[in-house]
Amino acid sequence: MSNYVEVRHVSKTFKTKRGTNEVVRDVNFSVGENELVVIFGPGQCGKTTLLNLIAGLEPVTSGEIEVAGKEVEKAGPDRGMVYQKTALFPWMTVMGNVSYGPVSCGKSKKEAREIAQHYIDMVGLHGFEDSFPNQLSGGMAQRVGIARAYANRPALLLMDEPFGHLDAQTRYMMQEELIRVWDQEKRTILFVTNNIEEAIYLADRIIVITNCPTTVKGEYTVDLPRPRVYTNRDFLDLRARISEFVDKSL
C-alpha cells in the first residue's frame, strides 16, 4: 500500500497574549491510499489542530505534510472535512447542501444534482432531498454532511469526531453507515475520536496520541474482520491492550 499522507516532524505553536502555546510537537505518521486510519486521544489534546494542518487550514510551524506527493500549503478540493457540528446551510435543502460543492467547482446544475443524488442515495437519504436541516435528526444531518463531503469527490476525507454529539444508538448506526459507504466507494479517511470502541470498530490502524502538546505515542493495526462486534473477545482484548498503553502514557 503506497502512502497517500505523510506527516513528518510536524509541530504547531500559537502565539497568545500570554506567550506561545505549543499544541502539536514533532508528530510523524503516514496514511496509505484508501486506508481508514483513526487518530485516538483524549479531549482537547490537539487532534482538531492536527486535522486542520493536514487540511491546509492552518500553516505548520515546523515540519512538513504531503498529500499525494505534494506539500500541503493551503486548503484544496482534494481534501474534504466532516465536522462534529455539521454546519449545513440552514436555508438549503438536503439536495442544495450536497450539490453546493459540485456547483461551486463549475459543474452544471444538472450534473451537480446527478452527483448529489448519487451520494444522497448512498447514505440512505433517498426521499429527503427537499427536506431542510431543521427537519432532520442529528444522525440524518451527519449523513448529509458525509454525502456533501463525498460529492466534492476528495481523495482524502478528514473527519473530526463527526459522531461525538450523537446518542449512543445513533452513533453506532452511523459507524456502521460510514463503513458501508467507505466499503462501497473507497476514500482515504483520517478519522479523529476520543472513543476507544469507535476507534477499534472503524480503523485499519489506530494512531495513539497524548495530551497537549500532542505527540504520537503508539500505533496499532486492527486486524479484525468486518463487520466488527463490540463484545467479540478479540475486540475486547485489543481494547484492554490499548487502554493499558494509554494509561501508562499519560
Side-chain angles (χ1 to χ4, degrees):
M1 181 185 296
S2 60
N3 288 334
Y4 192 78
V5 180
E6 291 279 1
V7 178
R8 303 189 190 97
H9 301 291
V10 166
S11 297
K12 178 63 180 179
T13 301
F14 292 95
K15 293 182 178 180
T16 69
K17 292 181 179 179
R18 297 182 179 180
T20 59
N21 181 22
E22 187 181 24
V23 179
V24 177
R25 176 184 293 170
D26 194 29
V27 167
N28 295 273
F29 66 86
S30 61
V31 182
E33 188 172 8
N34 295 332
E35 190 178 22
L36 201 167
V37 171
V38 172
I39 296 177
F40 169 68
Q44 306 300 315
C45 72
K47 300 188 297 295
T48 296
T49 298
L50 189 53
L51 279 196
N52 285 340
L53 296 175
I54 296 169
L57 300 174
E58 290 278 355
V60 301
T61 302
S62 61
E64 63 178 0
I65 299 171
E66 288 187 358
V67 174
K70 297 180 180 179
E71 186 172 0
V72 172
E73 296 179 340
K74 60 182 179 179
D78 59 323
R79 283 150 284 151
M81 288 282 288
V82 179
Y83 298 95
Q84 189 174 97
K85 295 183 179 179
T86 54
L88 301 178
F89 299 127
W91 61 89
M92 288 186 179
T93 62
V94 169
M95 176 60 75
N97 270 281
V98 179
S99 63
Y100 179 81
V103 168
S104 298
C105 291
K107 303 293 185 183
S108 67
K109 287 185 177 180
K110 181 179 183 295
E111 188 176 2
R113 287 183 66 88
E114 290 173 351
I115 293 169
Q117 188 67 59
H118 170 73
Y119 292 107
I120 289 170
D121 293 346
M122 193 171 71
V123 300
L125 286 178
H126 180 76
F128 291 91
E129 291 84 353
D130 296 328
S131 298
F132 287 90
N134 65 359
Q135 298 172 315
L136 305 175
S137 67
M140 292 170 72
Q142 279 295 10
R143 289 172 190 249
V144 178
I146 293 170
R148 182 174 62 179
Y150 265 84
N152 292 326
R153 294 180 173 169
L156 173 62
L157 201 56
L158 304 167
M159 307 189 78
D160 187 12
E161 299 192 60
F163 311 145
H165 282 167
L166 303 177
D167 64 82
Q169 183 61 31
T170 304
R171 185 172 189 158
Y172 179 69
M173 291 172 59
M174 288 305 301
Q175 291 166 8
E176 288 184 315
E177 186 69 13
L178 176 62
I179 291 298
R180 184 188 66 78
V181 170
W182 174 74
D183 192 53
Q184 182 175 338
E185 189 162 325
K186 293 291 188 183
R187 291 286 189 279
T188 305
I189 296 180
L190 193 55
F191 187 106
V192 160
T193 185
N194 60 12
N195 183 291
I196 190 169
E197 288 86 3
E198 182 168 70
I200 297 171
Y201 187 86
L202 294 175
D204 291 323
R205 279 189 300 127
I206 298 172
I207 296 169
V208 180
I209 60 176
T210 64
N211 280 314
C212 193
T214 190
T215 57
V216 174
K217 294 299 291 184
E219 182 179 305
Y220 290 84
T221 297
V222 186
D223 190 19
L224 300 175
R226 294 186 173 99
R228 294 172 183 162
V229 180
Y230 277 67
T231 55
N232 176 274
R233 186 181 187 86
D234 291 336
F235 191 107
L236 294 174
D237 285 347
L238 181 57
R239 185 194 188 285
R241 282 166 44 210
I242 296 175
S243 295
E244 183 180 8
F245 175 78
V246 170
D247 289 343
K248 290 179 179 179
S249 301
L250 295 177

